[in-house]
Amino acid sequence: MYRTDNLGARVGVLPATCFSGEHSLHVVGYRALELESYLKITCLACDDKTSPRADYYWALYTTPPRPDRAELDDAPYKDLTEQIAQRKRRPAPG
């Protein structure tokens, strides 16, 4: 997600909660790695607990131009974080 600030600069908006839904990235910290066409955001608390797995980081696709800066905000990702939470609440098959 992107937004434009009052000065016309492009701002990347990143989730403020880790992909697992357990941690605030403001509190525990995160690592953002820009790859070819996406940004990989890893929660440092989750990264300490488990080996890197696709279900423990955000992979956010990017479109040019690159933003001038980024900020953390869960609001644009509310639907996604709710879907993840629902999936975690479902009983395991079996």
Side-chain angles (χ1 to χ4, degrees):
M1 297 287 203
Y2 299 99
R3 71 173 186 83
T4 304
D5 70 8
N6 293 339
L7 300 175
R10 191 171 197 210
V11 180
V13 182
L14 311 177
T17 302
C18 71
F19 189 82
S20 72
E22 296 178 38
H23 308 105
S24 167
L25 299 179
H26 289 285
V27 175
V28 301
Y30 64 96
R31 183 179 311 105
L33 178 62
E34 185 177 19
L35 301 167
E36 291 257 342
S37 61
Y38 71 97
L39 184 66
K40 178 180 175 181
I41 303 168
T42 307
C43 169
L44 296 182
C46 289
D47 198 38
D48 284 345
K49 291 192 307 187
T50 184
S51 314
R53 295 179 4 205
D55 59 346
Y56 272 87
Y57 61 83
W58 289 104
L60 305 174
Y61 291 95
T62 58
T63 57
R66 292 174 62 187
D68 298 312
R69 66 179 196 281
E71 63 188 22
L72 298 174
D73 184 358
D74 277 334
Y77 300 95
K78 186 173 189 246
D79 291 340
L80 286 174
T81 55
E82 286 175 358
Q83 288 174 13
I84 292 166
Q86 287 175 3
R87 191 174 66 225
K88 287 178 169 252
R89 286 193 294 263
R90 288 187 196 137

Coordinates of all heavy atoms in Angstrom, one line a residue:
M1 N 0.8 -1.2 0.0 CA 0.0 0.0 0.0 C 0.9 1.2 0.0 O 2.0 1.2 0.6 CB -0.9 0.0 1.3 CG -1.8 -1.1 1.4 SD -3.1 -0.8 0.2 CE -4.4 -1.8 0.9
Y2 N 0.4 2.2 -0.7 CA 1.1 3.5 -0.7 C 0.1 4.6 -0.4 O -1.1 4.5 -0.6 CB 1.7 3.8 -2.1 CG 2.7 2.8 -2.5 CD1 2.3 1.7 -3.4 CD2 4.0 2.8 -2.1 CE1 3.2 0.8 -3.8 CE2 4.9 1.9 -2.5 CZ 4.5 0.9 -3.3 OH 5.5 -0.1 -3.8
R3 N 0.6 5.7 0.1 CA -0.2 7.0 0.2 C 0.7 8.1 -0.2 O 1.9 8.0 -0.3 CB -0.7 7.1 1.6 CG 0.3 7.4 2.7 CD -0.4 7.7 4.1 NE 0.6 8.2 5.0 CZ 1.0 9.4 5.1 NH1 0.6 10.4 4.3 NH2 1.9 9.8 6.1
T4 N 0.1 9.3 -0.4 CA 0.8 10.5 -0.7 C 0.7 11.4 0.5 O -0.5 11.7 1.0 CB 0.3 11.1 -2.0 OG1 0.3 10.2 -3.0 CG2 1.1 12.4 -2.3
D5 N 1.8 12.0 1.0 CA 1.7 12.9 2.2 C 1.4 14.3 1.7 O 1.1 14.5 0.5 CB 3.0 12.8 3.0 CG 4.2 13.4 2.3 OD1 4.1 14.1 1.3 OD2 5.3 13.3 2.9
N6 N 1.3 15.2 2.6 CA 0.9 16.6 2.4 C 1.8 17.3 1.4 O 1.5 18.3 0.8 CB 0.7 17.4 3.7 CG -0.4 16.9 4.5 OD1 -1.4 16.2 4.0 ND2 -0.4 17.2 5.8
L7 N 3.1 16.8 1.4 CA 4.1 17.5 0.5 C 4.2 16.8 -0.9 O 5.0 17.1 -1.7 CB 5.4 17.5 1.2 CG 5.5 18.2 2.5 CD1 6.8 18.0 3.2 CD2 5.2 19.7 2.3
G8 N 3.3 15.8 -1.1 CA 3.3 15.1 -2.4 C 4.3 13.9 -2.5 O 4.5 13.3 -3.5
A9 N 5.0 13.6 -1.3 CA 5.9 12.5 -1.3 C 5.1 11.1 -1.2 O 4.1 11.0 -0.6 CB 6.9 12.6 -0.2
R10 N 5.7 10.1 -1.9 CA 5.1 8.8 -1.8 C 5.6 8.1 -0.6 O 6.8 8.0 -0.3 CB 5.5 8.0 -3.1 CG 4.7 6.7 -3.2 CD 5.0 6.1 -4.6 NE 4.0 5.1 -4.9 CZ 4.2 4.0 -5.6 NH1 5.4 3.8 -6.1 NH2 3.3 3.2 -5.9
V11 N 4.6 7.5 0.2 CA 4.9 6.8 1.5 C 4.5 5.4 1.4 O 3.3 5.1 1.1 CB 4.2 7.6 2.7 CG1 4.6 6.9 4.0 CG2 4.6 9.0 2.7
G12 N 5.4 4.5 1.6 CA 5.0 3.0 1.7 C 4.4 2.8 3.0 O 4.9 3.2 4.1
V13 N 3.2 2.1 3.1 CA 2.5 1.8 4.3 C 2.7 0.3 4.5 O 2.2 -0.5 3.8 CB 1.0 2.2 4.3 CG1 0.4 1.9 5.6 CG2 0.9 3.7 3.9
L14 N 3.4 -0.1 5.6 CA 3.7 -1.5 6.0 C 2.8 -1.9 7.2 O 2.5 -1.1 8.0 CB 5.1 -1.6 6.3 CG 6.2 -1.0 5.4 CD1 7.6 -1.2 5.9 CD2 6.0 -1.6 4.0
P15 N 2.5 -3.2 7.3 CA 1.7 -3.6 8.4 C 2.5 -3.4 9.7 O 3.7 -3.5 9.8 CB 1.6 -5.2 8.2 CG 1.9 -5.4 6.8 CD 2.8 -4.3 6.4
A16 N 1.8 -3.0 10.8 CA 2.4 -2.8 12.1 C 2.4 -4.0 13.0 O 3.0 -4.0 14.0 CB 1.7 -1.6 12.8
T17 N 1.7 -5.1 12.6 CA 1.6 -6.3 13.3 C 2.3 -7.4 12.5 O 2.1 -7.4 11.2 CB 0.2 -6.7 13.6 OG1 -0.4 -5.6 14.3 CG2 0.1 -8.0 14.4
C18 N 3.0 -8.3 13.1 CA 3.7 -9.4 12.4 C 2.7 -10.3 11.7 O 1.5 -10.3 12.0 CB 4.6 -10.2 13.3 SG 3.8 -11.2 14.5
F19 N 3.1 -11.1 10.7 CA 2.3 -11.9 9.9 C 1.6 -13.0 10.8 O 0.4 -13.3 10.5 CB 3.1 -12.6 8.8 CG 2.2 -13.4 7.9 CD1 1.6 -12.7 6.8 CD2 2.0 -14.7 8.0 CE1 0.8 -13.4 5.9 CE2 1.2 -15.4 7.1 CZ 0.6 -14.8 6.1
S20 N 2.2 -13.4 11.9 CA 1.6 -14.4 12.8 C 0.5 -13.7 13.6 O -0.3 -14.4 14.2 CB 2.6 -15.0 13.7 OG 3.1 -14.1 14.6
G21 N 0.5 -12.4 13.7 CA -0.5 -11.7 14.5 C -0.2 -11.6 15.9 O -1.0 -11.1 16.7
E22 N 1.0 -12.0 16.3 CA 1.3 -12.1 17.7 C 2.1 -10.9 18.3 O 2.1 -10.6 19.5 CB 2.2 -13.3 18.0 CG 1.5 -14.6 17.7 CD 2.4 -15.8 17.9 OE1 3.3 -15.8 18.9 OE2 2.4 -16.8 17.1
H23 N 2.8 -10.1 17.4 CA 3.7 -9.1 17.9 C 3.4 -7.8 17.2 O 3.2 -7.7 16.0 CB 5.1 -9.5 17.6 CG 5.5 -10.8 18.2 ND1 5.6 -11.9 17.4 CD2 5.6 -11.2 19.5 CE1 5.9 -13.0 18.2 NE2 5.9 -12.6 19.5
S24 N 3.6 -6.7 17.9 CA 3.7 -5.3 17.3 C 5.1 -5.1 16.8 O 6.0 -5.2 17.6 CB 3.3 -4.3 18.4 OG 3.6 -3.0 17.9
L25 N 5.2 -4.8 15.5 CA 6.5 -4.5 15.0 C 7.2 -3.3 15.6 O 8.4 -3.2 15.6 CB 6.5 -4.5 13.5 CG 6.0 -5.7 12.8 CD1 5.9 -5.5 11.3 CD2 6.8 -6.9 13.1
H26 N 6.4 -2.4 16.1 CA 6.9 -1.2 16.7 C 7.7 -1.6 18.0 O 8.7 -1.0 18.3 CB 5.7 -0.2 17.2 CG 5.0 0.5 16.1 ND1 5.6 1.6 15.5 CD2 3.8 0.3 15.6 CE1 4.7 2.0 14.5 NE2 3.7 1.2 14.6
V27 N 7.2 -2.6 18.7 CA 7.8 -3.1 19.9 C 8.9 -4.0 19.8 O 10.0 -3.8 20.3 CB 6.7 -3.7 20.8 CG1 7.3 -4.3 22.1 CG2 5.6 -2.7 21.1
V28 N 8.7 -5.1 19.0 CA 9.8 -6.1 18.9 C 10.8 -5.9 17.8 O 11.8 -6.5 17.8 CB 9.1 -7.5 18.7 CG1 8.2 -7.9 19.9 CG2 8.4 -7.6 17.4
G29 N 10.5 -5.0 16.9 CA 11.4 -4.7 15.7 C 11.1 -5.6 14.6 O 10.4 -6.6 14.6
Y30 N 11.6 -5.2 13.4 CA 11.4 -6.0 12.2 C 12.6 -5.7 11.2 O 13.4 -4.8 11.4 CB 10.1 -5.5 11.5 CG 10.1 -4.1 11.0 CD1 10.4 -3.8 9.7 CD2 9.8 -3.1 11.9 CE1 10.4 -2.5 9.3 CE2 9.8 -1.8 11.5 CZ 10.1 -1.4 10.2 OH 10.1 -0.1 9.8
R31 N 12.7 -6.6 10.2 CA 13.7 -6.4 9.2 C 12.9 -6.3 7.9 O 12.1 -7.2 7.6 CB 14.6 -7.7 9.2 CG 15.7 -7.6 8.2 CD 16.6 -8.9 8.2 NE 17.1 -9.2 9.5 CZ 16.6 -10.2 10.3 NH1 15.7 -11.0 9.8 NH2 17.0 -10.5 11.5
A32 N 13.2 -5.3 7.1 CA 12.6 -5.2 5.8 C 13.7 -5.3 4.7 O 14.7 -4.6 4.8 CB 11.9 -3.8 5.7
L33 N 13.4 -6.3 3.8 CA 14.4 -6.6 2.8 C 13.7 -6.4 1.4 O 12.7 -7.0 1.1 CB 14.9 -8.0 2.9 CG 15.9 -8.5 1.9 CD1 17.1 -7.7 1.9 CD2 16.1 -10.0 2.1
E34 N 14.2 -5.5 0.6 CA 13.7 -5.2 -0.7 C 14.3 -6.2 -1.7 O 15.5 -6.2 -1.9 CB 13.9 -3.8 -1.1 CG 13.3 -3.4 -2.4 CD 13.5 -1.9 -2.7 OE1 14.4 -1.3 -2.2 OE2 12.7 -1.4 -3.6
L35 N 13.4 -7.0 -2.3 CA 13.8 -7.9 -3.3 C 13.4 -7.4 -4.7 O 12.9 -6.3 -4.8 CB 13.3 -9.3 -3.0 CG 13.8 -9.8 -1.6 CD1 13.0 -11.0 -1.2 CD2 15.2 -10.1 -1.6
E36 N 13.5 -8.2 -5.7 CA 13.1 -7.8 -7.1 C 11.8 -7.1 -7.2 O 11.7 -6.0 -7.6 CB 13.1 -9.0 -8.0 CG 14.5 -9.5 -8.3 CD 15.1 -9.1 -9.6 OE1 14.3 -8.7 -10.5 OE2 16.3 -9.3 -9.8
S37 N 10.7 -7.8 -6.8 CA 9.4 -7.2 -7.0 C 8.5 -7.1 -5.7 O 7.4 -6.9 -5.8 CB 8.6 -8.0 -8.1 OG 8.5 -9.3 -7.6
Y38 N 9.2 -7.4 -4.6 CA 8.4 -7.4 -3.3 C 9.3 -7.0 -2.2 O 10.5 -7.1 -2.3 CB 7.7 -8.7 -3.1 CG 8.5 -9.9 -2.7 CD1 8.7 -10.3 -1.4 CD2 9.1 -10.7 -3.7 CE1 9.5 -11.4 -1.1 CE2 9.9 -11.8 -3.4 CZ 10.1 -12.1 -2.1 OH 10.8 -13.2 -1.7
L39 N 8.7 -6.7 -1.1 CA 9.3 -6.3 0.2 C 9.0 -7.4 1.2 O 7.9 -7.8 1.4 CB 8.8 -5.0 0.6 CG 9.4 -4.4 1.9 CD1 10.9 -4.0 1.6 CD2 8.6 -3.1 2.3
K40 N 10.1 -8.0 1.7 CA 9.9 -9.1 2.7 C 10.1 -8.4 4.1 O 11.1 -7.9 4.4 CB 11.0 -10.1 2.5 CG 10.9 -11.2 3.5 CD 12.0 -12.3 3.2 CE 12.1 -13.3 4.3 NZ 13.2 -14.3 4.0
I41 N 9.0 -8.5 4.9 CA 9.1 -7.9 6.3 C 9.0 -9.1 7.3 O 8.0 -9.8 7.4 CB 7.9 -7.0 6.5 CG1 7.9 -5.9 5.4 CG2 8.0 -6.3 7.9 CD1 6.7 -5.0 5.3
T42 N 10.1 -9.2 8.1 CA 10.2 -10.3 9.0 C 10.2 -9.7 10.4 O 10.9 -8.8 10.8 CB 11.6 -11.0 8.8 OG1 11.7 -11.4 7.5 CG2 11.7 -12.2 9.7
C43 N 9.3 -10.3 11.3 CA 9.2 -9.9 12.7 C 10.4 -10.5 13.4 O 10.7 -11.7 13.3 CB 7.9 -10.5 13.3 SG 7.8 -10.4 15.1
L44 N 11.2 -9.7 14.2 CA 12.4 -10.2 14.8 C 12.0 -11.2 15.9 O 12.8 -12.1 16.2 CB 13.2 -9.0 15.4 CG 13.8 -8.1 14.4 CD1 14.6 -7.0 15.0 CD2 14.6 -8.8 13.3
A45 N 10.9 -11.0 16.6 CA 10.5 -12.0 17.7 C 10.2 -13.3 17.1 O 10.6 -14.4 17.6 CB 9.3 -11.4 18.5
C46 N 9.4 -13.4 16.0 CA 9.1 -14.6 15.3 C 10.3 -15.3 14.7 O 10.5 -16.5 14.7 CB 8.0 -14.4 14.2 SG 6.4 -14.0 14.8
D47 N 11.2 -14.5 14.2 CA 12.4 -15.0 13.5 C 13.3 -15.7 14.6 O 14.0 -16.6 14.2 CB 13.2 -13.8 12.9 CG 14.2 -14.3 11.8 OD1 13.9 -15.2 11.1 OD2 15.3 -13.6 11.8
D48 N 13.3 -15.2 15.8 CA 14.1 -15.8 16.9 C 13.5 -17.2 17.3 O 14.2 -18.1 17.7 CB 14.1 -14.9 18.1 CG 15.1 -13.8 18.0 OD1 15.9 -13.8 17.0 OD2 15.0 -12.8 18.8
K49 N 12.1 -17.3 17.1 CA 11.5 -18.5 17.6 C 11.5 -19.7 16.5 O 11.4 -20.8 16.9 CB 10.0 -18.3 17.9 CG 9.8 -17.4 19.1 CD 8.4 -17.4 19.6 CE 7.4 -17.0 18.5 NZ 6.0 -16.8 19.0
T50 N 11.6 -19.3 15.3 CA 11.4 -20.4 14.2 C 12.4 -20.1 13.0 O 12.7 -18.9 12.8 CB 10.0 -20.4 13.7 OG1 9.9 -21.5 12.8 CG2 9.5 -19.1 13.1
S51 N 12.7 -21.1 12.3 CA 13.5 -20.9 11.1 C 12.7 -20.1 10.1 O 11.4 -20.2 10.2 CB 13.8 -22.3 10.5 OG 14.3 -23.2 11.4
P52 N 13.3 -19.4 9.2 CA 12.5 -18.7 8.2 C 11.5 -19.6 7.4 O 11.9 -20.6 6.9 CB 13.5 -18.1 7.3 CG 14.8 -18.1 8.0 CD 14.7 -19.3 9.0
R53 N 10.2 -19.2 7.5 CA 9.2 -20.0 6.8 C 8.3 -18.9 6.1 O 8.1 -17.8 6.7 CB 8.3 -20.8 7.8 CG 9.1 -21.9 8.4 CD 8.3 -22.7 9.4 NE 6.9 -22.4 9.4 CZ 6.1 -22.6 10.5 NH1 6.6 -23.2 11.6 NH2 4.8 -22.3 10.5
A54 N 7.7 -19.3 5.0 CA 6.9 -18.3 4.3 C 5.7 -17.9 5.1 O 5.2 -16.8 4.8 CB 6.4 -19.0 3.0
D55 N 5.2 -18.6 6.1 CA 4.0 -18.2 6.8 C 4.4 -17.3 8.1 O 3.6 -17.1 8.9 CB 3.2 -19.4 7.2 CG 3.9 -20.4 8.1 OD1 5.2 -20.3 8.2 OD2 3.2 -21.2 8.7
Y56 N 5.7 -16.9 8.1 CA 6.1 -16.1 9.2 C 6.6 -14.7 8.8 O 7.3 -14.0 9.6 CB 7.2 -16.8 10.1 CG 6.5 -17.6 11.2 CD1 6.1 -18.9 10.9 CD2 6.3 -17.1 12.4 CE1 5.5 -19.7 11.9 CE2 5.6 -17.8 13.4 CZ 5.3 -19.1 13.1 OH 4.6 -19.8 14.1
Y57 N 6.4 -14.3 7.6 CA 6.8 -13.0 7.2 C 5.8 -12.5 6.1 O 5.1 -13.2 5.5 CB 8.2 -12.9 6.6 CG 8.5 -13.8 5.4 CD1 8.2 -13.3 4.1 CD2 9.0 -15.0 5.5 CE1 8.4 -14.1 3.0 CE2 9.3 -15.8 4.4 CZ 9.0 -15.3 3.1 OH 9.2 -16.1 2.0
W58 N 5.7 -11.1 6.1 CA 4.9 -10.5 5.0 C 5.7 -10.4 3.7 O 6.9 -10.2 3.8 CB 4.6 -9.0 5.4 CG 3.6 -8.9 6.5 CD1 3.9 -8.6 7.8 CD2 2.2 -9.1 6.5 NE1 2.7 -8.5 8.6 CE2 1.7 -8.8 7.8 CE3 1.3 -9.4 5.4 CZ2 0.3 -8.9 8.0 CZ3 0.0 -9.4 5.7 CH2 -0.5 -9.2 7.0
A59 N 5.1 -10.7 2.6 CA 5.7 -10.5 1.3 C 4.8 -9.6 0.5 O 3.7 -10.0 0.1 CB 5.9 -11.9 0.6
L60 N 5.2 -8.3 0.5 CA 4.3 -7.3 -0.1 C 4.9 -6.9 -1.5 O 6.0 -6.4 -1.6 CB 4.3 -6.1 0.8 CG 3.8 -6.4 2.3 CD1 3.9 -5.1 3.1 CD2 2.4 -6.9 2.3
Y61 N 4.1 -7.1 -2.5 CA 4.5 -6.8 -3.8 C 4.6 -5.2 -4.0 O 3.8 -4.5 -3.4 CB 3.6 -7.4 -4.9 CG 3.8 -8.9 -4.9 CD1 2.9 -9.7 -4.2 CD2 4.8 -9.4 -5.6 CE1 3.1 -11.1 -4.1 CE2 5.1 -10.8 -5.6 CZ 4.2 -11.6 -4.8 OH 4.4 -13.0 -4.8
T62 N 5.6 -4.8 -4.7 CA 5.8 -3.4 -4.9 C 5.6 -2.9 -6.4 O 5.8 -3.8 -7.3 CB 7.2 -3.0 -4.5 OG1 8.2 -3.7 -5.2 CG2 7.5 -3.3 -3.0
T63 N 5.3 -1.7 -6.5 CA 5.2 -1.1 -7.9 C 6.0 0.2 -7.9 O 6.0 0.9 -6.9 CB 3.7 -0.8 -8.3 OG1 3.2 0.1 -7.3 CG2 2.9 -2.1 -8.3
P64 N 6.7 0.4 -9.0 CA 7.5 1.7 -9.1 C 6.6 2.9 -9.1 O 5.4 2.8 -9.5 CB 8.3 1.5 -10.4 CG 8.1 0.1 -10.8 CD 6.9 -0.4 -10.1
P65 N 7.1 4.0 -8.7 CA 8.4 4.3 -8.2 C 8.5 3.9 -6.7 O 7.5 3.8 -6.1 CB 8.5 5.8 -8.4 CG 7.1 6.3 -8.3 CD 6.3 5.3 -8.9
R66 N 9.7 3.8 -6.3 CA 9.9 3.5 -4.9 C 9.5 4.7 -4.0 O 9.6 5.8 -4.4 CB 11.4 3.3 -4.6 CG 11.9 2.0 -5.3 CD 13.4 1.8 -5.1 NE 13.8 1.7 -3.7 CZ 15.0 1.7 -3.3 NH1 16.0 1.8 -4.1 NH2 15.3 1.6 -2.0
P67 N 8.9 4.4 -2.8 CA 8.5 5.4 -2.0 C 9.7 6.2 -1.3 O 10.8 5.7 -1.2 CB 7.7 4.7 -0.9 CG 8.2 3.3 -0.8 CD 8.6 3.0 -2.3
D68 N 9.4 7.4 -1.0 CA 10.4 8.2 -0.3 C 10.7 7.8 1.1 O 11.8 7.9 1.6 CB 10.0 9.7 -0.3 CG 9.8 10.3 -1.7 OD1 10.7 10.0 -2.5 OD2 8.8 10.9 -2.0
R69 N 9.7 7.2 1.7 CA 9.8 6.7 3.1 C 8.7 5.7 3.3 O 7.9 5.5 2.5 CB 9.8 7.8 4.1 CG 8.6 8.5 4.3 CD 8.7 9.6 5.4 NE 7.4 10.1 5.8 CZ 6.6 11.0 5.1 NH1 7.1 11.5 4.0 NH2 5.5 11.4 5.6
A70 N 8.8 5.0 4.5 CA 7.8 4.1 4.9 C 7.3 4.3 6.3 O 8.0 4.9 7.1 CB 8.3 2.6 4.7
E71 N 6.1 3.8 6.6 CA 5.6 3.9 7.9 C 4.8 2.6 8.3 O 4.4 1.9 7.3 CB 4.6 5.1 8.1 CG 3.4 5.0 7.2 CD 2.6 6.3 7.2 OE1 3.2 7.4 7.5 OE2 1.4 6.3 6.8
L72 N 4.6 2.3 9.5 CA 3.9 1.2 10.0 C 2.4 1.6 10.3 O 2.2 2.5 11.1 CB 4.5 0.5 11.2 CG 5.9 0.0 11.0 CD1 6.5 -0.5 12.4 CD2 6.0 -1.1 10.0
D73 N 1.5 0.8 9.8 CA 0.0 1.1 10.0 C -0.8 -0.1 9.7 O -0.7 -0.5 8.5 CB -0.4 2.3 9.2 CG -1.8 2.8 9.5 OD1 -2.5 2.1 10.3 OD2 -2.3 3.8 8.9
D74 N -1.5 -0.7 10.6 CA -2.3 -1.8 10.3 C -3.6 -1.5 9.6 O -4.2 -2.5 9.0 CB -2.7 -2.5 11.7 CG -1.6 -3.5 12.2 OD1 -0.8 -3.9 11.3 OD2 -1.6 -3.7 13.4
A75 N -4.1 -0.3 9.6 CA -5.4 0.0 9.0 C -5.6 -0.5 7.6 O -6.6 -1.1 7.3 CB -5.7 1.5 9.1
P76 N -4.7 -0.3 6.7 CA -4.9 -0.7 5.3 C -4.9 -2.3 5.2 O -5.3 -2.8 4.2 CB -3.7 -0.2 4.5 CG -3.2 0.9 5.3 CD -3.5 0.6 6.8
Y77 N -4.4 -3.0 6.2 CA -4.3 -4.4 6.1 C -5.3 -5.1 7.0 O -5.2 -6.3 7.3 CB -2.8 -4.8 6.5 CG -1.8 -4.2 5.6 CD1 -1.2 -3.0 5.9 CD2 -1.5 -4.8 4.4 CE1 -0.2 -2.5 5.1 CE2 -0.6 -4.3 3.5 CZ 0.0 -3.1 3.9 OH 1.0 -2.5 3.0
K78 N -6.3 -4.4 7.5 CA -7.2 -5.0 8.5 C -7.9 -6.2 7.9 O -8.0 -7.2 8.7 CB -8.3 -3.9 8.8 CG -9.2 -4.3 9.9 CD -10.2 -3.2 10.2 CE -10.9 -3.6 11.5 NZ -12.3 -3.7 11.3
D79 N -8.3 -6.3 6.7 CA -9.0 -7.5 6.1 C -8.0 -8.6 6.1 O -8.4 -9.8 6.5 CB -9.5 -7.2 4.7 CG -10.7 -6.2 4.7 OD1 -11.3 -6.1 5.7 OD2 -10.9 -5.7 3.6
L80 N -6.8 -8.4 5.8 CA -5.8 -9.5 5.8 C -5.5 -10.0 7.2 O -5.4 -11.2 7.4 CB -4.5 -9.0 5.1 CG -4.5 -8.9 3.6 CD1 -3.2 -8.3 3.2 CD2 -4.7 -10.2 2.9
T81 N -5.3 -9.1 8.1 CA -5.0 -9.6 9.5 C -6.2 -10.3 10.1 O -6.0 -11.3 10.8 CB -4.5 -8.4 10.4 OG1 -5.5 -7.4 10.3 CG2 -3.2 -7.9 9.9
E82 N -7.4 -9.9 9.8 CA -8.6 -10.6 10.3 C -8.6 -12.0 9.7 O -9.0 -13.0 10.3 CB -9.8 -9.8 10.0 CG -10.0 -8.6 10.9 CD -11.2 -7.8 10.5 OE1 -11.9 -8.1 9.5 OE2 -11.4 -6.8 11.2
Q83 N -8.3 -12.2 8.4 CA -8.3 -13.5 7.7 C -7.3 -14.4 8.4 O -7.6 -15.6 8.6 CB -8.0 -13.4 6.2 CG -9.2 -12.8 5.4 CD -8.8 -12.5 4.0 OE1 -7.7 -13.0 3.5 NE2 -9.6 -11.8 3.3
I84 N -6.1 -13.9 8.7 CA -5.1 -14.7 9.3 C -5.5 -15.1 10.7 O -5.4 -16.3 11.1 CB -3.8 -13.9 9.4 CG1 -3.2 -13.7 8.0 CG2 -2.7 -14.6 10.2 CD1 -2.1 -12.7 7.9
A85 N -6.1 -14.2 11.4 CA -6.6 -14.6 12.8 C -7.7 -15.6 12.7 O -7.7 -16.6 13.5 CB -7.1 -13.3 13.5
Q86 N -8.6 -15.6 11.8 CA -9.6 -16.6 11.7 C -9.0 -17.9 11.3 O -9.5 -18.9 11.8 CB -10.6 -16.1 10.6 CG -11.6 -15.0 11.0 CD -12.4 -14.5 9.9 OE1 -12.4 -15.1 8.8 NE2 -13.2 -13.5 10.1
R87 N -8.1 -17.9 10.4 CA -7.4 -19.2 10.0 C -6.8 -19.8 11.2 O -6.8 -21.0 11.4 CB -6.4 -18.9 8.9 CG -5.9 -20.1 8.2 CD -5.0 -19.8 7.1 NE -3.8 -19.1 7.5 CZ -3.3 -18.1 6.9 NH1 -3.9 -17.5 5.9 NH2 -2.2 -17.5 7.4
K88 N -6.2 -19.1 12.1 CA -5.5 -19.6 13.3 C -6.5 -20.2 14.3 O -6.1 -21.1 15.0 CB -4.6 -18.5 13.9 CG -3.4 -18.2 13.1 CD -2.6 -17.2 13.8 CE -1.3 -17.1 13.1 NZ -0.2 -17.6 13.9
R89 N -7.7 -19.6 14.3 CA -8.7 -20.1 15.3 C -9.4 -21.4 14.9 O -10.0 -22.0 15.7 CB -9.7 -19.0 15.5 CG -9.2 -17.8 16.4 CD -10.4 -16.9 16.8 NE -11.0 -16.3 15.7 CZ -10.8 -15.0 15.3 NH1 -9.9 -14.3 15.9 NH2 -11.4 -14.5 14.3
R90 N -9.3 -21.7 13.6 CA -9.9 -22.9 13.1 C -9.2 -24.2 13.8 O -8.0 -24.2 13.9 CB -9.8 -23.1 11.6 CG -10.7 -22.1 10.9 CD -10.7 -22.4 9.4 NE -11.2 -21.2 8.8 CZ -10.7 -20.7 7.7 NH1 -9.7 -21.2 7.1 NH2 -11.3 -19.6 7.1
P91 N -10.0 -25.2 14.2 CA -9.4 -26.4 14.7 C -8.6 -27.1 13.6 O -9.0 -27.1 12.4 CB -10.6 -27.2 15.2 CG -11.8 -26.6 14.5 CD -11.5 -25.2 14.1
A92 N -7.6 -27.8 14.1 CA -6.7 -28.5 13.1 C -7.5 -29.7 12.6 O -8.3 -30.3 13.4 CB -5.5 -29.0 13.8
P93 N -7.4 -30.1 11.3 CA -8.1 -31.3 10.8 C -7.6 -32.5 11.5 O -6.5 -32.7 11.9 CB -7.8 -31.3 9.3 CG -6.7 -30.3 9.1 CD -6.6 -29.5 10.4
G94 N -8.6 -33.5 11.7 CA -8.1 -34.7 12.2 C -8.9 -35.1 13.3 O -9.5 -35.7 14.0

